[in-house]
Amino acid sequence: MTTRILIVDDEANIRLMLRATLESEGYEIREAANGQEAIEAVHIHQPQLVLLDLNMPVVDGMHVLEAFNHAEPNRVP
């Protein structure tokens, strides 16, 4: 089974670099460009790990963490 990782960052070049590096190691990668997309992606893709930028537009990383903890505290390690 391949480990699913969600990369959350508003900078496309950072997502691209992380995606390329992690996919070359065999991980399944999904991306989100802001916190709102991250919250939706967790429910859809059920990642096993989230790499989360804290400074983002729309919904910042701290609010994403709060949403994860309130909605389903054990869903994302």
Side-chain angles (χ1 to χ4, degrees):
M1 184 169 140
T2 303
T3 300
R4 294 178 307 277
I5 299 175
L6 174 63
I7 300 170
V8 185
D9 200 300
D10 58 317
E11 302 224 14
N13 59 340
I14 292 174
R15 292 193 317 269
L16 178 63
M17 178 204 52
L18 289 170
R19 174 186 276 277
T21 301
L22 294 168
E23 281 183 336
S24 72
E25 295 295 323
Y27 296 103
E28 180 183 325
I29 304 300
R30 296 285 189 250
E31 296 181 25
N34 62 57
Q36 185 60 44
E37 288 180 13
I39 293 167
E40 294 167 7
V42 163
H43 294 293
I44 295 168
H45 302 294
Q46 300 179 343
Q48 294 156 308
L49 176 67
V50 176
L51 300 177
L52 178 63
D53 181 15
L54 295 179
N55 292 320
M56 294 181 294
V58 184
V59 177
D60 70 22
M62 293 307 290
H63 285 97
V64 172
L65 289 174
E66 288 176 16
F68 288 168
N69 287 333
H70 288 307
E72 298 171 70
N74 298 319
R75 176 171 272 196
V76 180

